[in-house]
Structures are given as C-alpha cells and as structure tokens.
Amino acid sequence: MPRVVVDVMLKPEILDPQGTAILGALPRLGFDEVTAVRQGKHFELEVTEPVDEGRLRQLADILLANSVIEEFTLRVLP
Amino acid sequence: MPRVVVDVMLKPEILDPQGTAILGALPRLGFDEVTAVRQGKHFELEVTEPVDEGRLRQLADILLANSVIEEFTLRVLP
Amino acid sequence: MRVGVVTFPGSLDDRDAQRAVRLAGGEPVALWHGDEDLRRVDAVVLPGGFSYGDYLRCGAIARFAPVMRTVIERAAQGLPVLGICNGFQILCESHLLPGALTRNAHLHFRNRDQRLRVENVSTAWTSGLQRDAEIVVPVKNGEGCFVAAPDVLDRLEGEGRVVVRYADGNPNGSVRDIAGICNANGNVVGLMPHPEHAVETLTGPSTDGLGFFTSLLTATVS
Amino acid sequence: MIDSVQHAEATPDHPQPYSELGLKSEEYHRIRDILGRRPTSSELAMYSVMWSEHCSYKSSKVHLRQFGDLPHSEALLVGIGENAGVVDIGEGYAVTFKIESHNHPSYVEPYQGAATGVGGIVRDILTMGARPVAVMDPLRFGRADAPDTQRVLPAVVAGIGGYGNCLGLPNIGGEVVFDDGYLGNPLVNALCVGVMRHEDIRLAKASGAGNQVILFGARTGGDGIGGVSVLASETFAADGPAKRPSVQVGDPFTEKVLIECCLEIFAEDLVVGIQDLGGAGLSCATTELSSAGSGGMHVVLDRVPLRDETLAPEEILMSESQERMCAVVRPSDVDRFMAVCAKWEVTATVIGDVNESGRLTIDWRDERIVAVPPRTVAHDGPVYERPMARPLDLDDLHADDPGRLPRPSTPEELRALLLRMVASPNLCDKTWVTEQYDRYVQGNTVLAQPEDAGVVRVDESTGLGVALATDGNGRYSRLDPYAGAQLALAEAYRNVATTGAWPLAVTDCLNFGSPEDPEVMWQFAEAVRGLADGCRVLGLPVTGGNVSFYNQTADTAINPTPIIGVLGVITDVARRTPMAFGGRPDEVLLILGETGQDFGGSEWAWSEHHHLGGRPPPVDLDRERALADVMVGAAEEQLLSAAHDLSDGGLAQALVECCLRGDVGANVHVTDDPFVALFAESAGRVLVGVPAQRVTRFTELCAEHGVPAAELGTVTPGRPELTVVGQFAVPLAELRAAYSATLPALFGPKPEKR
Ligand SMILES: Nc1ncnc2c1ncn2[C@@H]1O[C@H](COP(=O)(O)OP(=O)(O)O)[C@@H](O)[C@H]1O
Ligand SMILES: [Mg+2]
C-alpha cells in the first residue's frame, strides 16, 4: 500500500519554544556541535491506490498543518 | 551548515491516539483513501562540520527519542 | 526527617509537596535542579509540573539535570524517591522505573478527583496505607497514559509492583488502569495522581494523600 | 538607508504610509506639529501603534473618566492608570487583579490567541510586584453546533489550559456562553489575580537619571507585527524583510521562569520601575516608563537580543513577541540583577539608561532614529468624542415582550422543559471545559468552578483569602446597556457575597462593536455610565480594565458584552459557603429575594424560542447590598451549609446544580405560578441551605436587613430525586445525564491544532 509522509514545521519566523528548549539542553550533554534545533510533526499515512497527490496536499493543508503558523512538505514514498 | 533530520515515531505496538484521532476525522472530510495515520516528531538540526553521524545517533537515542516506546530514523542532508 | 523537594525550571507543585511534607511532620528541604548536592536529605520528592515546559517529552530534559545524577545514584542505594506526575515522568525517562507516560488517550489535559485502589503497601511511601483501600486523590495531566511492553507489565503485576490503580474510571487510558508503580526495592515510587493536593479538607477532595508522606516518616522512625 | 532624524529633517516631503498604519491625516499632522518635522519611520511606527484604539483608548477615554471620579475608596492602594489596580485586603496583604481581552487573535489562531491572552494578563499582574495566584476565563462563542465553533472552542480551551496550567496558576472560574452573534467574534477574556505585601508594590516608571534600562525574558522576533511591515519594507526596499506574521506564539515555560525570576528580583529589591511588554512591545514600554518617570531615556536598539537578525528597527520597536519585561535598575544593582537572571537562565540585556532630557532617544547603527517627548506618544494621544445614537430598533425590541411566548402548562411539560433547559448549551455542565484546567496547583484553591466564585487562600496561618467572580449578559445589555452593565455588576457582586466574602473592588472588560458606529458608541456610553453609577451605589472602586472594540462582522456588532469582575475578601476561608446541598442531613432550603415575571432576555426565551425582547430584569443595587450583608453575616456566624446565586435559568437551574453538586435530592414547594417560580430570572436572589436549628437565627438576620426569605423545602438524603411538590419529580441520574451530555457530544475528544 502506498505511503505518504508529511512533515509539518512552524514557519521560520514563528517562535519554536520546543526546539529552543532542546537546544538549551544540549551543551550539558556535551553536544556542542548542534547550533540550531527546530521541532515539527511527522505524519505517516497509508493510502489506497491510485494516489492523488493534490488531494493529499489539500488534506495536509486543512488537517495536518495549521496554515496560520505552520508549513509542510509532502512526499509519496515509492 | 550541514543539516540533520531525525524522525521519531512510536513503536508500532504502542497505541498512537493522535494518529487514531486524525484517522477518525478523515471520512467526515471526505478523505476515504487514507487507511492508516501515525503521528511522530520531526527534528531539524543544524550542526557544525565535520558531521559525526555516530555521535548524532547517540544524541537521538538518549534525548530525541525514548527507546522504551519510540524508534527513530536519522538522515544527514547533503 | 529531612525530605528534599526538587525544583526544576517549570516545576509547579514543589511548594505543595513541601507543604505536604510539613503537614506530615517532616522537614521539607528545597533542592535545586542545578545542584548535585542533596543536602543530607533522607528522601526525595520529584514534584509535579512542566519541567522545561514538557517540551520534547515530559521529563526528557529534566532527566539530565545535575541533581538527577545524584538522585539516580542514591536511589540505587535505597534512598526513598517519590515522583508525582511530572516526577513520575522523570523517573521513567531516567529508567529508575520501567515504562513510559504518553499523551492521554482522549488527547486532553484532564483534572478530576480520582478514585484509586492501593495495591502495594510495602513501599517506602505506602507502608502506612491499607491494602485494597480506595482513596480519592486529584489527577491532572495531559500525558499520563502509562504504557509498557506486555512482558514488562506482566513482571510488574507478578512482582506486585503496581502500587495504585485507577478505580471507577480511567482518566487517561493507562494500560491496565495503572496509576503508579515502584521499583523492585520499593524505595522508588512514581504515580500520576497528586497526593500533595489531598492533604487538607479545605483545599483538596480528601486528606487521603497525606498517607504517602506519613508512611515515609513513620516507616523510617520505626 | 536608515531613516534617521537627520534624514527626516532633510526630507520633509518624503511621503509616509500613515493611513496604512491606521492613522488619520489629522493625526499624522499632529505628529508633525509635535516634532516640528516629519517623523522618522520608527517614530511613525511608534505613534501609529500607541495612538491605536487598542493602546490609546481614544474613543473610550472620555467615558472611562467616570470611573476615576468615583468616591475615594480606602481599600484602593493603586488605581486606574497602572498595569493593574491594587487593593488592600488587610494583614499587610494587597491583591491586584485585572481582566483583559484577546478576542481577535483568538479568532485568527484560537490556540495561540487564547494562550497569549493568558500570558499577557499574567505579566500585567506580575509587573505590579505580585505573585500571580489564579486565573479566570470568561468566554463567548457562536452557536454551539456551528462549524466554526467546533474549530474555535476546543482550541481556545486547550490554549488557556495549555498556558495557564504550565504557569502553575489554578483556574478558579470563568464563563462559557454561546450566542449566534459571537460567531466570527468569539470573546476570550482573561482575568488574573496576584498577591503581594504592601511594601512590594512596583510601578511602571523610569526615574533616577543614570539608572539602567534592562530588557529581559524572551528574545525579540518578528511575531505580532502585522501592519508595521509596510514601513519596514518601505525602508528596506531592496532586501526587504519577509512578510511578518501578525500571530504571536507563546512560550509558557519561558513565562513561568520569568515569573520566578521577577519574584526573586522583587524580593531583593532590585528594580526602581518595571513594565511588561504587551501590545506595542518596546514602543509602549519605553514611552510609558519614561513618560511616568524622570521624563527621558536613551536606548541603543542594536542591543536588543533578536531571534531573527533580519528585523528592521521599526519592527523591533513594534514586535509583540511574548514573555518579555523591561526593568529600570540602579547601576549598583545591575550585577545582582544579572546574577538572578542567570540563575533562571533568563536572557537579560542593558539596552539603555534614564536621563532628564525630557526625550526618548533611540539609536540604531549609530544613527538617531527616534527623538520624541515620550508623553506625546504614551499619554497625550488623540481623544475623540464619537457621535452616539440610541439604536433605532430598541423601541421595537422593548415592545416585543416575552409575555406573549407560549409557556408550559402541565406538570409533564414543566418537567420536560427542565430537562431541556439543563441540557441547553448555555446552562449545561461545563466540566468538559473546566477539567482541562488545573484548579489545584498552589494548594490554596478553596472554591473553584462551578462554585459561584473562586476562593483562594492568601495566608495559610490566618485563613485570609479572596473571592472572585466574573459575569456578563450580552442579551440583557442589548436590551438595555445601562441596566445590563449593572446586572452584570450585581451578579458578580452577589456571587462573591454568596461565598461569604465581602466585595471590595471591580475590574471590567468592555467588549463592543465598532466605536465608529454611533449606535455601538451609545451602547458603550450607557454601559460605562451604568457601571459607574452601580459602583457608586455599592461603594466599590473600579481598579482597571480593558476595552475591546470592533467585535463585529461587517455591519453586525456583537451584543454589547460588558464583563464585570468583582473581588472580595474573606477573613477566614474556612468559613466560606459552598454551593453543594447535603452538607447537613437536616438542611432546610430557603430562597432569598423576590421573584417577578422577569423573562426579558432570559435563557428560557432564548433557548426555547430564540426570542430576545422586552426589558431585562430590574436591578436594585440597594437590595443587592442588603443581600450581601446577609450572606456575609451568615457566613461569619456559620449559619449556612450551602448557598447558590440565582441567575441564568432561574431557580430551576440553581436547584439542579446544588443537588447534583452534593449528590443529594431535594423536595421543594413553589407557590403561585410554578413556571414563573422556576424559570424567571429576577435579580437579587440566592438559594440557601440552612441546618434546621439555625433557621430561626438566619431568618432573623434576613429580617434585620430587610431581605425577604421564604422556605422552599428540604434536602432528601436517601432519595436522590428533585421533587417539585404537586408538579413533578426527576431522579438525579436523569438530570445528571441530561446536564452532562451536551458538551462531550458537541466537542468530544478530537485533535486540536496547536
Ligand atoms: N474598561 C475599563 N475600565 C477601567 N479601566 C480601564 C478600562 N479599560 C482600560 N482601563 C485602564 O486604562 C489603563 C490602560 O489600559 P491598558 O493600555 O490596557 O493597560 P495595559 O497595557 O497595562 O494592559 C489601565 O490602567 C487599565 O486598567
Ligand atoms: Mg501592562
């Protein structure tokens, strides 16, 4: 069954408190090489064939991502 | 600056209430083609060179994912 | 008896836990997350709250606080440790207790007066309670759904390490209605409900929570 | 190219986009007159946002003055004009409380809008030097089953809980009301209350030349800027900054740490003045601080820690990034101040200093971009006497009396009506909402929702505490805004007194349509006049509040919705009166006050007939005062085992709530017309439960104050049923099922977007 992956991230100009908190914890753990962290959501969908990518984008747009503050990327896995 | 992407998902045997709730909402919105949804986390890190993938996997393992319930994939972006 | 209460950035019920210790007759000692020194305490409470905003996962970042290095070390030597709500989450993240706490099955934060059944009265924190007693203690969490692998659950049950179980309705979808568990030695206990909010009739639904704190004090005295 | 003061002087004719920024041409010219030149783009940004309706109160000021003219109150330590008013509650304690709106942001992005609404009001309270101890959330939504309500309500509730719970603030009360008019215009009002010792009061002023100005908390980002990007993109034509979001995202964790950090700073007495950054961000904080203090301040804007390096100076000045504070600190205290911030891992930066120049000057990249008399920005904005007109439809509304509506005529119909009423969205159980809020944290919550008022213990050793209630009824106010405001005041006042606390002070949030509509302006003026007159009768000061205009869709304004918050003091919280029946098996039930044919604007008329007309119930504030005397006196003498104020849905609703809360049945007699007795919404009434042997003393007390008291019946322990003798009986289980099912059925567990 085809799989679709949607990654949802806050728009770059929007504050990401989660990423900031993780970044703050890293030096204590000795991971100084990380200079920025952003956290988003990752969705994996199973869909029936045929895959209509346009419809799925619409789905991501209205349900998975909040277009006021987030943006998404969508990939259909082979 | 090199970027690293980590996707964290609940292990398949762990219940995913968020994915289930999304799946439940889909028929109402007319998206019958989706048969399963799972929701996880997506991290984007910026790291300094040289990238030591082993160390980053360790970071994902002890901090970004909780190995009791989650598993992760890690990709260094070109 | 000196009972330490750790404050992490984002801890909320730290003062409440201190009050409960005081009402039980103990001496509350404030411990700071950034300090490895446990200030000669005889027991430690990891209080409720949103340490580090509960970002990433509840308790995931607090686990790496300097104070936890000592708590983990001393817990292995038998120091009584009680993790309440966020404290329970920190104990699981630290692997002092098995399993994990995940998003509530109904996806909401839920605060209600919850009936619990006490199933293990041989831990450091429950020795003064009655076995099979039903008590009422508030729950309030968004990520209190306890999960663990089936073999882990069977072992917990087999060894009698389920300390409290939800009775009369499960507020968050925890497997087998588990509300709190302990380690093999019974010195480390974690639970989602808040006994520190059930210590005065005026401000809580009961005074049933006081027993957790008095258990510790009387057990150590005798 | 930086639009410096020098550049502005050299290019007087440079066209400026003042109207895009919401300034009228006269306002723009007034700025030019004040400065004697055209404003720089940064100055224009500051004036435009500080002279906006939201920040300058330009349409409401002339009316709000009436609150300042109320007779002096001994309890008032700090009055209107500061971030929040401060009230003396005795034993050296003071409390500060205020209500604010975050309506429009909560429509655009409900989770973040509501969350940052809580964040903002909490910082106002913190700024006064107080530890925030509780929050409340009066909410209004469109029709409960409307699709947009499905979008807005769950996310608003999650946002309020998400932010407030994470701060460790118990939520002790609020309102959830549905009405078609709020579709597209939800109201999200938030109240916060804080406690301090008298000596800890802090004010927002920058005094003492040489003192340092420190910005601390979150880094400044591009959020909440909206329209000002016009300016920035004009200035930075070539490499213009991206379009900025007008949505603000909150970080409650940062705010929690900021609270603890500030309280430690206050405890060590390290600030001379302090101001939170809310609407208009740094523009507001710097101009208000300097205008209220020594008069001058110099700021080096390059020092502001940024989250986004591409921000233009105009945007930095305007940014409404959350979780930031600005303090004025003596040079000798700066190191210690920084050490406390470091302990809490709070970013803190000296961005300037105080002087006596009478000007606020701001530099950017070594050029002077702002040089203004701060008062002209912060306090001397335009003031309008907007035209007012009594709504043309008001006479028709008044004539449309609910007396003509069909009423239930048999006991069966009454019983069915009761079950429908308690299940209606406005009267049903609100647990689905309130269980998403932490009411236990801090361990001092003595009463919380659904009780009449929230009661919080202030001092553990003496039991001193405060009680708070908020109320508002848009339908009453639509029919008569003067009476509507007084009815809201009376209800909040009565709610506080019902718990046994003595009412001390008032805050308000005035939610209205567009002030440019003369009918709306008339409603506003009437409501303010009603509130001011009401406070005069009750002897209460208005300590502060908020005005929210432009709550309308196209030409249709919301029902005028003044939300009134009343704060009371109770000397020992152990003597509070709870609402649950059955605390005593021999409990006798009495109703205080008088019941009339009051159905104008009632819940019955609305939910059964979708009818709004006639007159709202008459309000008699002298009687309310006498009633409060009885309720507080009875609590002091410990005469009552239960008390519940009668309001929406009348006696029927109150009986159901008291029985279900205590899980005990009751047997009541009603005289005359049972429909009127059960469902009328006459003001000034309370339902009480009195242990049998105290009834005589209690009725004596009522007589002393001239408050009518009539026996209704008794509780029926062992028989879980509400019985209206001669009419009907309903098992509590049936009532509970009807009462509790509504919101879960409408909003069930569904994912909210964050
Ligand atoms: N409806 C009102 N009733 C009483 N006082 C009000 C009202 N609206 C605003 N105020 C007062 O006017 C002053 C300015 O309000 P505002 O700019 O909202 O303050 P802040 O920016 O601190 O929230 C405050 O003291 C506030 O309490
Ligand atoms: Mg303010």
Side-chain angles (χ1 to χ4, degrees):
Chain A
M1 191 163 275
R3 293 205 310 147
V4 177
V5 170
V6 181
D7 289 319
V8 176
M9 296 296 280
L10 287 166
K11 291 179 182 171
E13 64 273 20
I14 298 272
L15 174 71
D16 172 16
Q18 313 214 57
T20 314
I22 296 167
L23 187 67
L26 291 176
R28 251 207 325 257
L29 300 178
F31 291 98
D32 295 315
E33 67 259 56
V34 182
T35 56
V37 180
R38 290 188 69 82
Q39 177 174 342
K41 295 176 193 147
H42 178 81
F43 297 92
E44 295 186 4
L45 318 186
E46 287 183 14
V47 296
T48 52
E49 285 185 286
V51 178
D52 179 342
E53 195 175 316
R55 269 175 63 86
L56 291 170
R57 286 194 174 274
Q58 210 187 327
L59 161 65
D61 201 39
I62 61 172
L63 190 65
L64 303 182
N66 174 352
S67 59
V68 179
I69 53 175
E70 292 171 329
E71 55 196 23
F72 68 90
T73 61
L74 182 148
R75 288 173 289 153
V76 180
L77 295 193
Chain B
M1 191 163 275
R3 294 204 309 150
V4 178
V5 170
V6 181
D7 289 320
V8 176
M9 296 297 281
L10 286 167
K11 290 180 180 171
E13 65 270 22
I14 304 275
L15 198 74
D16 170 19
Q18 309 194 84
T20 312
I22 293 167
L23 188 66
L26 289 175
R28 234 179 314 128
L29 298 173
F31 292 99
D32 296 314
E33 66 259 57
V34 182
T35 57
V37 181
R38 293 193 61 85
Q39 176 171 344
K41 297 179 187 136
H42 178 82
F43 299 92
E44 295 186 4
L45 318 185
E46 286 182 15
V47 295
T48 52
E49 287 187 283
V51 179
D52 180 340
E53 194 175 318
R55 268 175 65 84
L56 292 169
R57 285 194 173 275
Q58 210 186 328
L59 163 64
D61 199 38
I62 64 169
L63 186 68
L64 300 183
N66 174 356
S67 57
V68 175
I69 47 169
E70 294 170 328
E71 53 198 22
F72 69 90
T73 60
L74 182 149
R75 290 172 288 154
V76 180
L77 297 193
Chain C
M1 173 163 201
R2 291 166 62 82
V3 182
V5 177
V6 179
T7 299
F8 298 93
S11 288
L12 304 178
D13 301 309
D14 44 347
R15 271 178 288 264
D16 306 60
Q18 291 177 19
R19 180 193 292 115
V21 167
R22 189 161 27 82
L23 291 173
E27 179 192 347
V29 178
L31 301 177
W32 181 243
H33 72 109
D35 201 344
E36 290 191 23
D37 182 10
L38 294 189
R39 301 181 58 195
R40 297 176 290 105
V41 297
D42 307 300
V44 166
V45 177
L46 304 180
F50 288 69
S51 59
Y52 295 94
D54 272 1
Y55 296 142
L56 184 57
R57 288 182 311 281
C58 307
I61 299 179
R63 165 202 173 182
F64 292 105
V67 74
M68 285 307 295
R69 222 168 299 161
T70 328
V71 169
I72 292 171
E73 195 181 289
R74 295 282 310 280
Q77 300 159 5
L79 180 78
V81 178
L82 177 66
I84 303 170
C85 196
N86 195 223
F88 186 15
Q89 295 162 338
I90 296 170
L91 290 174
C92 289
E93 284 282 344
S94 308
H95 306 300
L96 283 174
L97 292 175
L101 294 146
T102 59
R103 189 91 190 261
N104 290 354
H106 48 73
L107 300 175
H108 294 296
F109 185 97
R110 182 169 284 170
N111 178 4
R112 62 150 74 142
D113 299 338
Q114 177 69 43
R115 189 166 287 281
L116 302 174
R117 194 168 52 252
V118 181
E119 299 198 353
N120 178 333
V121 293
S122 54
T123 78
W125 302 89
T126 54
S127 57
L129 303 178
Q130 295 284 327
R131 209 195 127 82
D132 290 329
E134 293 213 342
I135 60 176
V136 176
V137 172
V139 286
K140 42 169 205 172
N141 59 66
E143 305 194 23
C145 176
F146 183 75
V147 298
D151 58 316
V152 174
L153 291 170
D154 291 341
R155 186 151 39 84
L156 281 174
E157 304 260 18
E159 294 172 5
R161 285 165 54 192
V162 174
V163 178
V164 276
R165 220 184 280 269
Y166 299 116
D168 202 12
N170 178 333
N172 48 31
S174 289
V175 287
R176 305 192 191 177
D177 296 334
I178 292 173
I181 57 173
C182 64
N183 66 352
N185 280 335
N187 63 309
V188 179
V189 170
L191 78 171
M192 284 317 290
H194 288 258
E196 83 284 15
H197 289 316
V199 295
E200 295 178 276
T201 41
L202 204 53
T203 54
S206 73
T207 53
D208 295 343
L210 206 52
F212 288 81
F213 302 93
T214 50
S215 289
L216 174 76
L217 295 162
T218 44
T220 332
V221 168
S222 57
Chain D
M1 172 77 217
I2 295 175
D3 190 21
S4 63
V5 170
Q6 221 182 355
H7 181 252
E9 277 165 349
T11 55
D13 301 326
H14 176 76
Q16 294 190 285
Y18 61 84
S19 64
E20 284 91 325
L21 296 171
L23 285 170
K24 300 254 180 312
S25 155
E26 315 85 75
E27 292 172 343
Y28 175 67
H29 286 98
R30 191 156 146 219
I31 297 168
R32 293 190 68 123
D33 287 347
I34 289 169
L35 298 176
R37 58 174 162 81
R38 77 160 173 90
T40 65
S41 56
S42 295
E43 289 167 340
L44 185 61
M46 292 178 84
Y47 277 104
S48 70
V49 66
M50 290 300 289
W51 285 12
S52 69
E53 185 65 57
H54 176 69
C55 292
S56 72
Y57 291 84
K58 54 190 171 190
S59 305
S60 54
K61 231 177 199 162
V62 293
H63 301 282
L64 297 179
R65 282 190 190 127
Q66 294 171 65
F67 299 148
D69 296 341
L70 287 171
H72 172 76
S73 155
E74 298 232 312
L76 194 61
L77 300 175
V78 175
I80 292 187
E82 278 290 335
N83 285 297
V86 181
V87 181
D88 178 14
I89 58 162
E91 299 178 21
Y93 286 102
V95 293
T96 176
F97 73 123
K98 186 175 165 191
I99 188 164
E100 257 189 10
S101 64
H102 226 213
N103 302 341
H104 187 66
S106 303
Y107 174 67
V108 176
E109 174 27 50
Y111 184 94
Q112 295 296 342
T116 53
V118 173
I121 188 63
V122 168
R123 282 193 301 283
D124 267 336
I125 294 309
L126 177 63
T127 302
M128 298 307 297
R131 173 177 283 282
V133 297
V135 293
M136 301 177 89
D137 61 329
L139 308 175
R140 300 290 183 279
F141 300 101
R143 227 183 32 256
D145 56 2
D148 202 51
T149 304
Q150 300 283 320
R151 171 186 76 97
V152 173
L153 181 143
V156 162
V157 171
I160 289 168
Y163 206 101
N165 295 343
C166 190
L167 291 188
L169 294 176
N171 185 307
I172 57 167
E175 298 166 77
V176 181
V177 177
F178 301 94
D179 194 294
D180 308 34
Y182 303 114
L183 193 67
N185 298 287
L187 303 185
V188 175
N189 291 183
L191 177 150
C192 182
V193 56
V195 175
M196 70 195 113
R197 304 290 301 172
H198 285 191
E199 59 273 20
D200 292 335
I201 297 173
R202 295 291 184 284
L203 300 177
K205 61 177 181 202
S207 42
N211 285 340
Q212 304 289 294
V213 179
I214 299 181
L215 181 64
F216 64 117
R219 291 173 168 267
T220 299
D223 43 358
I225 293 183
V228 176
S229 298
V230 187
L231 265 179
S233 55
E234 200 198 37
T235 322
F236 281 76
D239 52 348
K243 198 168 138 277
R244 305 298 185 193
S246 54
V247 175
Q248 307 142 25
V249 171
D251 176 3
F253 170 62
T254 295
E255 180 127 319
K256 166 64 180 168
V257 171
L258 199 54
I259 291 173
E260 299 302 330
C261 178
C262 280
L263 291 171
E264 209 164 309
I265 284 165
F266 297 151
E268 295 194 30
D269 203 11
L270 301 176
V271 299
V272 176
I274 184 160
Q275 172 71 299
D276 61 298
L277 274 70
L282 210 46
S283 296
C284 178
T286 53
T287 55
E288 285 193 350
L289 278 168
S290 46
S291 153
S294 297
M297 183 185 287
H298 180 66
V299 170
V300 180
L301 201 60
D302 313 70
R303 294 195 193 149
V304 173
L306 300 180
R307 209 168 72 221
D308 172 354
E309 295 298 332
T310 70
L311 289 181
E314 297 86 349
E315 295 178 311
I316 299 170
L317 285 167
M318 281 323 80
S319 164
E320 296 189 354
S321 288
Q322 300 290 295
E323 294 98 20
R324 297 179 300 162
M325 303 282 276
C326 191
V328 177
V329 180
R330 283 177 293 266
S332 56
D333 288 334
V334 169
D335 287 348
R336 189 58 210 140
F337 185 101
M338 292 300 184
V340 175
C341 289
K343 172 185 165 188
W344 289 99
E345 297 174 33
V346 167
T347 309
T349 317
V350 173
I351 60 163
D353 51 19
V354 176
N355 57 46
E356 287 169 355
S357 65
R359 305 228 129 203
L360 169 66
T361 51
I362 299 180
D363 290 355
W364 171 255
R365 307 266 151 92
D366 295 323
E367 298 207 53
R368 174 87 14 120
I369 55 167
V370 171
V372 296
R375 231 197 127 69
T376 63
V377 184
H379 293 110
D380 297 337
V383 174
Y384 294 129
E385 302 228 15
R386 301 253 189 220
M388 301 188 278
R390 185 171 181 276
L392 287 173
D393 63 0
L394 215 48
D395 289 329
D396 288 344
L397 273 177
H398 289 165
D400 181 14
D401 193 90
R404 66 166 175 83
L405 301 171
R407 299 178 175 192
S409 54
T410 65
E412 293 69 40
E413 283 177 14
L414 262 183
R415 185 183 191 279
L417 174 63
L418 176 73
L419 285 164
R420 280 200 307 279
M421 291 286 285
V422 298
S424 68
N426 282 343
L427 297 183
C428 73
D429 184 4
K430 301 301 187 302
T431 300
W432 187 89
V433 170
T434 57
E435 76 175 3
Q436 297 187 48
Y437 305 147
D438 184 347
R439 64 178 176 278
Y440 283 110
V441 64
Q442 295 195 12
N444 287 314
T445 308
V446 176
L447 294 179
Q449 70 282 72
E451 300 279 338
D452 284 309
V455 172
V456 177
R457 181 172 62 188
V458 167
D459 187 313
E460 245 177 280
S461 57
T462 64
L464 178 70
V466 294
L468 278 146
T470 69
D471 279 294
N473 187 318
R475 291 192 309 265
Y476 292 166
S477 300
R478 175 72 174 86
L479 297 177
D480 183 345
Y482 180 90
Q486 292 199 341
L487 282 160
L489 170 67
E491 189 180 338
Y493 175 90
R494 196 185 320 126
N495 279 326
V496 164
T498 299
T499 64
W502 184 249
L504 268 191
V506 168
T507 181
D508 63 284
C509 190
L510 305 174
N511 305 279
F512 286 77
S514 166
E516 294 160 47
D517 174 343
E519 297 196 345
V520 170
M521 208 54 222
W522 179 85
Q523 292 173 326
F524 180 81
E526 283 296 286
V528 171
R529 193 170 67 84
L531 180 58
D533 286 354
C535 286
R536 191 169 291 111
V537 177
L538 295 175
L540 297 179
V542 175
T543 64
N546 179 245
V547 176
S548 172
F549 278 133
Y550 299 102
N551 296 290
Q552 64 178 58
T553 306
D555 285 344
T556 312
I558 58 165
N559 281 342
T561 312
I563 301 285
I564 313 298
V566 170
L567 173 110
V569 64
I570 176 162
T571 48
D572 183 358
V573 289
R575 290 207 285 263
R576 88 283 179 217
T577 312
M579 70 180 265
F581 281 168
R584 297 281 296 248
D586 60 344
E587 198 167 63
V588 176
L589 309 180
L590 285 83
I591 182 170
L592 313 186
E594 278 168 358
T595 305
Q597 291 267 358
D598 293 315
F599 290 98
S602 68
E603 199 55 54
W604 168 75
W606 183 248
S607 74
E608 286 289 308
H609 303 285
H610 219 76
H611 175 271
L612 175 58
R615 298 268 186 183
V619 50
D620 181 338
L621 294 168
D622 289 315
R623 283 177 160 235
E624 296 284 355
R625 201 168 170 151
L627 185 63
D629 279 322
V630 167
M631 296 310 298
V632 176
E636 273 166 8
E637 290 187 46
Q638 291 286 280
L639 301 177
L640 301 176
S641 43
H644 190 21
D645 141 80
L646 300 196
S647 58
D648 305 1
L651 175 63
Q653 181 71 16
L655 283 168
V656 170
E657 289 173 355
C658 293
C659 288
L660 292 181
R661 184 110 172 114
D663 211 6
V664 68
N667 198 50
V668 301
H669 299 262
V670 294
T671 44
D672 306 334
D673 182 339
F675 167 73
V676 172
L678 287 172
F679 294 101
E681 295 188 2
S682 313
R685 298 181 302 161
V686 177
L687 172 65
V688 296
V690 191
Q693 83 280 14
R694 308 220 176 115
V695 171
T696 315
R697 170 59 198 137
F698 178 71
T699 45
E700 237 172 65
L701 183 68
C702 291
E704 278 166 33
H705 291 280
V707 171
E711 258 188 60
L712 273 181
T714 59
V715 293
T716 56
R719 189 157 57 82
E721 229 174 50
L722 175 60
T723 306
V724 179
V725 176
Q727 297 294 326
F728 60 82
V730 197
L732 292 195
E734 192 179 348
L735 280 172
R736 193 182 298 282
Y739 180 59
S740 318
T742 310
L743 292 190
L746 283 163
F747 301 106
K750 277 179 221 143
E752 307 93 32
K753 288 187 177 184
R754 294 207 168 197

